[in-house]
Amino acid sequence: MREYTEKKETCGTICLKYLLFIFNFFFWLAGGAVMAVGTWTLAEKSDYISLLSSSTYSATAYILVVAGVVVMVTGILGCCATFKERRNLLRVVRLWVSLGVLSLPGDLIPLVSSVQLSMELKQNLKNTMTQKYRKEGEESVTNAVDKLQQEFKCCGSNNYTDWADSVWIRSSEASGRKVPDSCCKTITDLCGRRDHPSNIYKENGCITKLENFIQEHLKIIGAVGISIACVQIFGMIFTCCLYRSLKPEPY
Protein backbone atom coordinates (compact mmCIF):
# COMPACT_ATOMS: atom_id res chain seq x y z
CA MET A 1 0.00 0.00 0.00
CA ARG A 2 1.41 3.40 -0.94
CA GLU A 3 0.54 6.89 0.25
CA TYR A 4 -0.70 9.73 -1.96
CA THR A 5 2.11 12.17 -2.57
CA GLU A 6 -0.30 15.00 -3.24
CA LYS A 7 -3.53 15.71 -1.47
CA LYS A 8 -6.00 18.37 -2.34
CA GLU A 9 -7.90 19.43 0.71
CA THR A 10 -10.75 21.82 0.80
CA CYS A 11 -10.92 24.52 3.45
CA GLY A 12 -13.84 22.70 5.04
CA THR A 13 -11.87 19.46 5.28
CA ILE A 14 -8.90 21.19 6.90
CA CYS A 15 -11.14 22.93 9.45
CA LEU A 16 -12.95 19.67 10.16
CA LYS A 17 -9.63 17.86 10.64
CA TYR A 18 -8.34 20.34 13.20
CA LEU A 19 -11.70 20.53 14.92
CA LEU A 20 -11.80 16.75 15.22
CA PHE A 21 -8.21 16.65 16.49
CA ILE A 22 -9.00 19.17 19.24
CA PHE A 23 -12.23 17.35 19.99
CA ASN A 24 -10.42 14.01 20.39
CA PHE A 25 -7.81 15.56 22.65
CA PHE A 26 -10.44 16.85 25.04
CA PHE A 27 -12.27 13.57 24.61
CA TRP A 28 -9.14 11.81 25.91
CA LEU A 29 -8.96 14.21 28.88
CA ALA A 30 -12.65 13.58 29.63
CA GLY A 31 -12.03 9.83 29.56
CA GLY A 32 -9.29 10.24 32.14
CA ALA A 33 -11.63 12.27 34.33
CA VAL A 34 -14.39 9.66 34.05
CA MET A 35 -12.01 6.84 34.95
CA ALA A 36 -10.72 8.90 37.89
CA VAL A 37 -14.27 9.42 39.22
CA GLY A 38 -14.97 5.70 38.99
CA THR A 39 -11.69 4.78 40.67
CA TRP A 40 -12.26 7.39 43.39
CA THR A 41 -15.73 5.96 44.03
CA LEU A 42 -14.36 2.44 44.44
CA ALA A 43 -11.39 3.50 46.56
CA GLU A 44 -12.89 6.15 48.82
CA LYS A 45 -16.68 5.85 48.77
CA SER A 46 -17.28 2.11 48.78
CA ASP A 47 -17.16 1.62 52.56
CA TYR A 48 -20.91 1.24 52.77
CA ILE A 49 -21.22 -1.43 50.05
CA SER A 50 -21.25 -4.12 52.75
CA LEU A 51 -24.46 -2.55 54.12
CA LEU A 52 -26.26 -3.15 50.82
CA SER A 53 -27.62 -6.50 49.72
CA SER A 54 -26.89 -5.90 46.02
CA SER A 55 -23.82 -4.80 44.09
CA THR A 56 -25.58 -2.02 42.15
CA TYR A 57 -23.58 0.77 43.77
CA SER A 58 -20.20 -0.79 43.04
CA ALA A 59 -21.34 -1.88 39.56
CA THR A 60 -21.99 1.73 38.55
CA ALA A 61 -18.43 2.64 39.56
CA TYR A 62 -16.98 -0.26 37.55
CA ILE A 63 -19.04 0.81 34.54
CA LEU A 64 -17.58 4.29 34.88
CA VAL A 65 -14.01 2.97 34.99
CA VAL A 66 -14.55 0.83 31.87
CA ALA A 67 -16.26 3.72 30.08
CA GLY A 68 -13.34 5.98 30.95
CA VAL A 69 -10.85 3.52 29.45
CA VAL A 70 -12.93 3.19 26.26
CA VAL A 71 -13.16 6.97 25.93
CA MET A 72 -9.41 7.43 26.45
CA VAL A 73 -8.57 4.80 23.83
CA THR A 74 -11.06 6.40 21.46
CA GLY A 75 -9.46 9.81 22.00
CA ILE A 76 -5.96 8.48 21.25
CA LEU A 77 -7.09 6.61 18.13
CA GLY A 78 -9.07 9.63 17.01
CA CYS A 79 -6.06 11.95 17.30
CA CYS A 80 -3.85 9.50 15.38
CA ALA A 81 -6.45 8.90 12.68
CA THR A 82 -7.07 12.61 12.23
CA PHE A 83 -3.39 13.53 12.15
CA LYS A 84 -2.49 10.82 9.61
CA GLU A 85 -5.78 11.10 7.71
CA ARG A 86 -6.12 7.32 7.47
CA ARG A 87 -9.57 6.05 6.57
CA ASN A 88 -8.86 2.56 7.95
CA LEU A 89 -8.01 4.00 11.34
CA LEU A 90 -11.05 6.25 11.22
CA ARG A 91 -13.16 3.12 10.71
CA VAL A 92 -11.77 1.77 13.98
CA VAL A 93 -12.49 5.06 15.74
CA ARG A 94 -16.03 5.05 14.38
CA LEU A 95 -16.51 1.54 15.74
CA TRP A 96 -15.17 2.48 19.18
CA VAL A 97 -17.37 5.58 19.35
CA SER A 98 -20.39 3.54 18.26
CA LEU A 99 -19.72 1.11 21.10
CA GLY A 100 -19.55 4.06 23.46
CA VAL A 101 -22.93 5.33 22.28
CA LEU A 102 -24.37 1.86 22.80
CA SER A 103 -23.20 2.11 26.43
CA LEU A 104 -25.74 4.87 27.06
CA PRO A 105 -28.18 2.44 28.79
CA GLY A 106 -25.36 1.53 31.16
CA ASP A 107 -24.82 5.21 31.93
CA LEU A 108 -28.49 5.47 32.88
CA ILE A 109 -28.15 2.68 35.47
CA PRO A 110 -27.19 5.02 38.34
CA LEU A 111 -30.32 7.13 37.90
CA VAL A 112 -32.57 4.08 37.84
CA SER A 113 -30.77 2.23 40.61
CA SER A 114 -31.13 5.12 43.07
CA VAL A 115 -34.79 4.14 43.48
CA GLN A 116 -33.82 0.50 43.93
CA LEU A 117 -31.18 1.40 46.53
CA SER A 118 -33.67 3.52 48.46
CA MET A 119 -36.04 0.57 48.76
CA GLU A 120 -33.17 -1.75 49.56
CA LEU A 121 -31.93 0.42 52.40
CA LYS A 122 -35.37 0.71 53.98
CA GLN A 123 -35.84 -3.05 53.86
CA ASN A 124 -32.39 -4.25 54.89
CA LEU A 125 -30.33 -1.65 56.75
CA LYS A 126 -31.78 -2.27 60.20
CA ASN A 127 -31.51 -6.04 59.82
CA THR A 128 -27.92 -5.78 58.62
CA MET A 129 -26.91 -3.54 61.50
CA THR A 130 -28.62 -5.52 64.23
CA GLN A 131 -27.81 -9.03 62.98
CA LYS A 132 -24.27 -8.64 61.62
CA TYR A 133 -22.67 -5.98 63.80
CA ARG A 134 -19.67 -7.41 65.69
CA LYS A 135 -20.43 -10.86 64.31
CA GLU A 136 -17.42 -13.01 63.46
CA GLY A 137 -16.67 -12.88 59.76
CA GLU A 138 -18.63 -9.63 59.31
CA GLU A 139 -15.81 -7.23 60.10
CA SER A 140 -16.57 -5.15 56.98
CA VAL A 141 -20.12 -4.56 58.21
CA THR A 142 -18.90 -3.63 61.69
CA ASN A 143 -16.38 -1.13 60.31
CA ALA A 144 -18.96 0.31 57.90
CA VAL A 145 -21.56 0.76 60.68
CA ASP A 146 -19.08 2.45 63.01
CA LYS A 147 -17.90 4.79 60.25
CA LEU A 148 -21.48 5.50 59.20
CA GLN A 149 -22.60 6.47 62.69
CA GLN A 150 -19.59 8.68 63.31
CA GLU A 151 -19.42 10.31 59.88
CA PHE A 152 -23.12 11.13 59.70
CA LYS A 153 -23.61 11.69 63.44
CA CYS A 154 -26.41 9.16 63.69
CA CYS A 155 -27.34 6.06 65.69
CA GLY A 156 -29.25 3.02 64.44
CA SER A 157 -31.19 2.72 61.21
CA ASN A 158 -34.25 4.77 62.17
CA ASN A 159 -33.02 5.86 65.62
CA TYR A 160 -31.08 4.53 68.60
CA THR A 161 -33.91 2.20 69.71
CA ASP A 162 -33.10 -0.11 66.78
CA TRP A 163 -30.08 -1.33 68.72
CA ALA A 164 -32.38 -2.93 71.31
CA ASP A 165 -32.89 -5.71 68.73
CA SER A 166 -29.16 -6.19 68.16
CA VAL A 167 -27.75 -9.66 68.68
CA TRP A 168 -24.51 -8.15 69.94
CA ILE A 169 -26.15 -5.65 72.34
CA ARG A 170 -28.14 -8.49 73.91
CA SER A 171 -25.00 -10.58 74.41
CA SER A 172 -22.55 -10.43 77.28
CA GLU A 173 -19.90 -9.16 74.88
CA ALA A 174 -21.61 -5.76 74.83
CA SER A 175 -20.70 -5.29 78.53
CA GLY A 176 -23.93 -3.52 79.31
CA ARG A 177 -23.88 -1.15 76.35
CA LYS A 178 -27.24 0.06 75.08
CA VAL A 179 -25.76 1.21 71.79
CA PRO A 180 -22.34 0.80 70.15
CA ASP A 181 -19.69 3.28 71.23
CA SER A 182 -19.74 4.73 67.72
CA CYS A 183 -23.12 6.27 68.55
CA CYS A 184 -21.43 8.53 71.11
CA LYS A 185 -20.74 12.17 70.38
CA THR A 186 -17.35 11.71 72.03
CA ILE A 187 -16.13 8.13 71.83
CA THR A 188 -14.69 6.62 74.99
CA ASP A 189 -14.57 3.00 76.12
CA LEU A 190 -18.04 1.78 77.18
CA CYS A 191 -19.63 5.17 76.46
CA GLY A 192 -22.49 3.27 74.80
CA ARG A 193 -23.83 2.32 78.24
CA ARG A 194 -25.38 5.76 78.61
CA ASP A 195 -28.11 6.64 76.08
CA HIS A 196 -28.73 10.23 77.21
CA PRO A 197 -29.12 12.82 74.39
CA SER A 198 -26.06 14.64 75.69
CA ASN A 199 -24.00 11.50 75.12
CA ILE A 200 -25.31 9.88 71.91
CA TYR A 201 -26.98 10.90 68.65
CA LYS A 202 -30.27 9.77 70.10
CA GLU A 203 -32.85 10.96 67.57
CA ASN A 204 -30.73 10.86 64.44
CA GLY A 205 -31.26 7.71 62.38
CA CYS A 206 -28.71 6.74 59.73
CA ILE A 207 -31.00 5.49 56.98
CA THR A 208 -32.07 8.88 55.60
CA LYS A 209 -28.55 10.29 55.68
CA LEU A 210 -27.04 7.23 53.99
CA GLU A 211 -29.81 7.19 51.41
CA ASN A 212 -29.23 10.87 50.55
CA PHE A 213 -25.47 10.32 50.38
CA ILE A 214 -25.72 7.38 47.96
CA GLN A 215 -28.36 9.00 45.77
CA GLU A 216 -26.38 12.22 45.43
CA HIS A 217 -23.28 10.26 44.51
CA LEU A 218 -25.18 8.14 41.97
CA LYS A 219 -26.57 11.32 40.40
CA ILE A 220 -23.03 12.59 39.92
CA ILE A 221 -21.96 9.30 38.34
CA GLY A 222 -25.05 9.25 36.13
CA ALA A 223 -24.57 12.86 35.00
CA VAL A 224 -20.94 12.20 34.09
CA GLY A 225 -21.84 9.03 32.20
CA ILE A 226 -24.65 10.65 30.22
CA SER A 227 -22.48 13.69 29.40
CA ILE A 228 -19.78 11.43 27.99
CA ALA A 229 -22.37 9.49 25.95
CA CYS A 230 -23.63 12.75 24.43
CA VAL A 231 -20.08 13.80 23.59
CA GLN A 232 -19.56 10.41 21.94
CA ILE A 233 -22.54 11.05 19.65
CA PHE A 234 -20.99 14.31 18.43
CA GLY A 235 -17.67 12.50 18.05
CA MET A 236 -19.29 9.89 15.83
CA ILE A 237 -20.81 12.62 13.65
CA PHE A 238 -17.48 14.46 13.26
CA THR A 239 -15.64 11.21 12.53
CA CYS A 240 -18.14 10.20 9.85
CA CYS A 241 -17.90 13.64 8.22
CA LEU A 242 -14.09 13.50 8.10
CA TYR A 243 -14.20 9.91 6.86
CA ARG A 244 -16.40 10.88 3.94
CA SER A 245 -14.25 13.89 3.08
CA LEU A 246 -11.04 11.86 2.74
CA LYS A 247 -10.11 10.10 -0.49
CA PRO A 248 -9.97 6.31 -0.48
CA GLU A 249 -6.49 4.91 0.20
CA PRO A 250 -4.94 3.18 -2.82
CA TYR A 251 -3.84 -0.44 -2.53
Side-chain angles (χ1 to χ4, degrees):
M1 181 174 61
R2 61 187 179 83
E3 301 289 339
Y4 280 135
T5 57
E6 295 183 359
K7 294 184 179 179
K8 295 180 180 180
E9 297 179 315
T10 65
C11 181
T13 301
I14 294 174
C15 292
L16 183 62
K17 181 176 69 175
Y18 282 103
L19 180 63
L20 186 57
F21 184 86
I22 295 172
F23 175 86
N24 278 296
F25 175 72
F26 284 104
F27 201 49
W28 176 80
L29 291 178
V34 170
M35 187 173 65
V37 171
T39 303
W40 170 70
T41 300
L42 291 172
E44 301 293 335
K45 300 298 180 181
S46 60
D47 304 276
Y48 306 129
I49 290 178
S50 58
L51 300 179
L52 306 173
S53 61
S54 73
S55 58
T56 304
Y57 183 66
S58 57
T60 55
Y62 282 115
I63 289 173
L64 217 58
V65 172
V66 173
V69 172
V70 171
V71 170
M72 291 185 72
V73 172
T74 303
I76 294 173
L77 290 176
C79 287
C80 293
T82 304
F83 182 75
K84 293 189 175 291
E85 300 183 13
R86 301 296 296 272
R87 287 170 62 92
N88 287 339
L89 196 52
L90 281 172
R91 288 194 193 102
V92 176
V93 174
R94 189 166 58 178
L95 175 61
W96 274 94
V97 175
S98 299
L99 290 174
V101 172
L102 290 175
S103 72
L104 180 58
D107 296 322
L108 291 172
I109 287 177
L111 301 182
V112 177
S113 64
S114 63
V115 178
Q116 175 187 338
L117 283 171
S118 177
M119 296 176 60
E120 181 183 325
L121 282 173
K122 291 176 181 178
Q123 294 172 357
N124 301 317
L125 184 59
K126 178 182 176 180
N127 182 68
T128 299
M129 294 175 75
T130 57
Q131 301 300 315
K132 296 183 178 181
Y133 185 78
R134 290 295 183 98
K135 184 178 180 180
E136 186 177 354
E138 299 290 351
E139 289 77 13
S140 60
V141 172
T142 300
N143 294 333
V145 169
D146 286 336
K147 181 176 181 179
L148 174 68
Q149 295 190 141
Q150 278 295 296
E151 185 172 338
F152 292 106
K153 299 183 183 342
C154 57
C155 185
S157 178
N158 298 296
N159 56 55
Y160 83 105
T161 60
D162 290 338
W163 285 110
D165 299 324
S166 169
V167 174
W168 179 72
I169 288 294
R170 290 178 173 180
S171 70
S172 58
E173 295 178 2
S175 302
R177 292 179 178 86
K178 296 180 180 178
V179 295
D181 292 342
S182 56
C183 282
C184 298
K185 296 178 179 179
T186 301
I187 295 181
T188 57
D189 190 33
L190 298 176
C191 64
R193 288 178 173 178
R194 183 169 171 264
D195 60 0
H196 193 272
S198 62
N199 184 51
I200 67 169
Y201 301 108
K202 191 168 185 177
E203 302 302 328
N204 299 335
C206 297
I207 188 169
T208 300
K209 295 187 176 182
L210 180 57
E211 179 184 351
N212 291 338
F213 167 80
I214 292 178
Q215 287 189 349
E216 288 300 317
H217 200 68
L218 287 176
K219 287 178 182 178
I220 293 173
I221 294 177
V224 170
I226 292 174
S227 298
I228 291 299
C230 292
V231 171
Q232 286 173 324
I233 293 174
F234 286 108
M236 185 168 62
I237 294 173
F238 288 148
T239 302
C240 290
C241 291
L242 182 59
Y243 180 84
R244 290 177 178 273
S245 69
L246 295 177
K247 295 180 179 179
E249 298 171 357
Y251 291 91

